[in-house]
Amino acid sequence: MKTLWKALPGLVFVLFLAVMALGLLFLPTREYSENEKRYLEKLPELNFGEIMEGKTQEKLEKYTADQIPGRDLFVGINACWNLATGRNAAQDIYLCREDYLINAPKQGKGEIYQSNLTRFDAFAQSTGLPADLVIVPSTGYLMEPVLPAFHGRYEDDALFAQAQESLQHIRLLDLRESLKAAAAQRQVCYRTDHHLTAFGNYLIYQAYQQALGQPVTPQTEYTMEVHGGFYGTTWSGSGLWFTPPDNVELWCRDFPVTVQFDDGAEQTTEDRLFYRENLEGLDKYPVFLDGNHSLVTIQNPQAQGGSLLLIRDSYGHCLAPFLAEHYQTIYLVDLRYYRSALSAFLAEHPVDRILYLYGIDNLLTDTNSAWLQ
């Protein structure tokens, strides 16, 4: 009996490995993890050359890690273990007060940030058009009161100072203090995602229109829809599945629009700004303009304003519906996907002004401004 008890842990471990191996062999392969919002590794094809180079083994290891039975459970257990052992501040995503999940400070390269500013400025100069830049501060910077006691330093102030010094042909709209002040009164940042809420985007819209001396629609004139169950990108990256979801607000106005999506070979046309079918998933942010597209054209024949080129990352999805009320044409270009000369596009589609809109973390890491030509 004593021998059996001594051998029991080893037997349980072997049984566990056997169950995991059988599950890996016979359970269907998952293509996409909705929790982690990414496509999972597929079983690699056998290739003698890649086997000799060790590439197949690397792919097989990634496949095993992605397809292991109960992966979401183990990811959650690991995240909770890190939290329980005092490693919250050592993770890429902090669990903060009031159930906020906030990205740690982005460790980007200063030369990438400066290169993006320089390219933005040079392109604006080459067009001769009036241009503005809105840099959305990091959630950690705006929500400092909820951060854990020990956390990395957010360098937003220094980065804004660098932008103010570097830009010669672009006006920088600095919304740091107004967003901070508003965040103390109402939710400006999502708790489970890195984007700003609809209210936060309204503040950007308001500041931009006021800077241009243009009208602003009062908050009371919007019809608001509230949808619960939003689990965003920081929730997906944290593994802390117990964190409660956010709400998504749609601020709606009644005016006619035509929205054209151009993704190279594929083009589609719609007559709406909100895509409510995307509210059915965990990540509901694509409800705004249907998520990422290389080129989006919004036309409003009743608008009094002219045309606007909005060069942006995903932060622009929620802002555009506010601006669409005032501009006859808005071209939204996402340089992560747009692969044509933007100067040639402007030659065929003249605009009155340019607005750059980027999250500060993306400016530290994204090199796609090289496509500005």
Side-chain angles (χ1 to χ4, degrees):
M1 182 62 70
K2 291 183 179 180
T3 303
L4 179 62
W5 279 109
K6 289 181 179 180
L8 186 60
L11 291 173
V12 171
F13 181 67
V14 170
L15 180 61
F16 173 79
L17 292 180
V19 171
M20 290 292 103
L22 290 172
L24 194 61
L25 285 172
F26 295 108
L27 289 177
T29 298
R30 294 197 305 161
E31 294 186 1
Y32 184 78
S33 170
E34 190 172 12
N35 278 1
E36 297 179 73
K37 296 180 179 62
R38 68 179 183 89
Y39 287 94
L40 301 177
E41 195 74 22
K42 297 180 180 179
L43 184 66
E45 297 180 359
L46 294 180
N47 181 292
F48 181 76
E50 290 192 349
I51 291 175
M52 297 304 294
E53 294 175 3
K55 294 181 180 179
T56 299
Q57 293 87 323
E58 292 178 5
K59 292 179 180 179
L60 188 60
E61 184 177 346
K62 292 179 181 179
Y63 168 81
T64 303
D66 275 1
Q67 300 295 338
I68 188 170
R71 173 181 169 79
D72 290 343
L73 173 63
F74 293 128
V75 169
I77 290 173
N78 180 67
C80 292
W81 173 254
N82 288 336
L83 191 64
T85 53
R87 287 179 284 176
N88 182 30
Q91 305 305 305
D92 292 332
I93 297 173
Y94 301 144
L95 175 62
C96 306
R97 290 183 287 276
E98 300 178 20
D99 294 320
Y100 274 86
L101 295 171
I102 297 177
N103 285 317
K106 186 70 69 174
Q107 300 302 316
K109 296 182 179 180
E111 58 267 26
I112 293 178
Y113 182 75
Q114 182 58 52
S115 178
N116 284 326
L117 295 175
T118 301
R119 288 167 178 161
F120 289 171
D121 207 41
F123 183 75
Q125 181 185 20
S126 69
T127 65
L129 295 168
D132 298 284
L133 169 63
V134 173
I135 301 176
V136 182
S138 61
T139 303
Y141 175 83
L142 294 176
M143 299 301 300
E144 186 176 2
V146 306
L147 291 172
F150 300 99
H151 60 81
R153 181 178 178 180
Y154 293 88
E155 300 290 349
D156 294 52
D157 288 333
L159 292 169
F160 268 84
Q162 182 178 342
Q164 289 170 334
E165 184 178 344
S166 300
L167 298 174
Q168 302 297 319
H169 306 281
I170 296 176
R171 177 176 55 174
L172 176 64
L173 301 183
D174 187 354
L175 304 180
R176 285 174 293 171
E177 293 307 316
S178 60
L179 289 174
K180 268 190 171 184
Q185 306 297 324
R186 183 173 175 178
Q187 189 176 358
V188 167
C189 305
Y190 287 115
R191 290 183 295 99
T192 67
D193 193 76
H194 63 287
H195 293 104
L196 298 185
T197 62
F199 173 64
N201 278 277
Y202 177 83
L203 297 177
I204 294 178
Y205 149 75
Q206 181 182 55
Y208 181 62
Q209 289 293 98
Q210 289 174 343
L212 299 181
Q214 297 299 318
V216 176
T217 301
Q219 296 182 43
T220 54
E221 294 189 15
Y222 290 92
T223 300
M224 186 180 299
E225 297 179 16
V226 181
H227 300 271
F230 173 35
Y231 295 94
T233 54
T234 51
W235 180 86
S236 298
S238 71
L240 299 171
W241 312 134
F242 57 82
T243 307
D246 264 311
N247 291 329
V248 172
E249 295 179 354
L250 307 185
W251 293 32
C252 306
R253 290 273 290 166
D254 186 17
F255 54 88
V257 293
T258 301
V259 181
Q260 179 176 309
F261 301 104
D262 188 340
D263 292 297
E266 184 178 353
Q267 294 183 350
T268 56
T269 302
E270 301 277 354
D271 59 357
R272 55 193 175 128
L273 295 166
F274 303 110
Y275 293 77
R276 291 172 177 80
E277 62 271 23
N278 293 322
L279 292 169
E280 297 176 4
L282 294 179
D283 183 5
K284 304 183 187 303
Y285 193 70
V287 68
F288 304 108
L289 288 184
D290 197 40
N292 295 323
H293 295 274
S294 62
L295 172 63
V296 180
T297 303
I298 304 174
Q299 294 180 308
N300 175 6
Q302 292 185 358
Q304 300 300 310
S307 53
L308 173 69
L309 173 63
L310 178 53
I311 302 174
R312 89 296 189 249
D313 56 16
S314 58
Y315 283 87
H317 301 348
C318 187
L319 177 66
F322 290 108
L323 296 174
E325 182 178 358
H326 302 282
Y327 293 88
Q328 292 183 356
T329 305
I330 302 177
Y331 301 107
L332 293 91
V333 174
D334 192 330
L335 296 176
R336 295 172 298 175
Y337 311 103
Y338 190 80
R339 290 296 179 263
S340 299
L342 208 50
S343 56
F345 176 85
L346 288 179
E348 297 181 10
H349 307 85
V351 299
D352 298 313
R353 60 185 312 113
I354 298 172
L355 172 61
Y356 297 94
L357 175 69
Y358 277 82
I360 199 165
D361 288 349
N362 287 337
L363 287 179
L364 285 167
T365 57
D366 187 8
T367 61
N368 287 296
S369 63
W371 291 96
L372 276 178
Q373 51 184 292

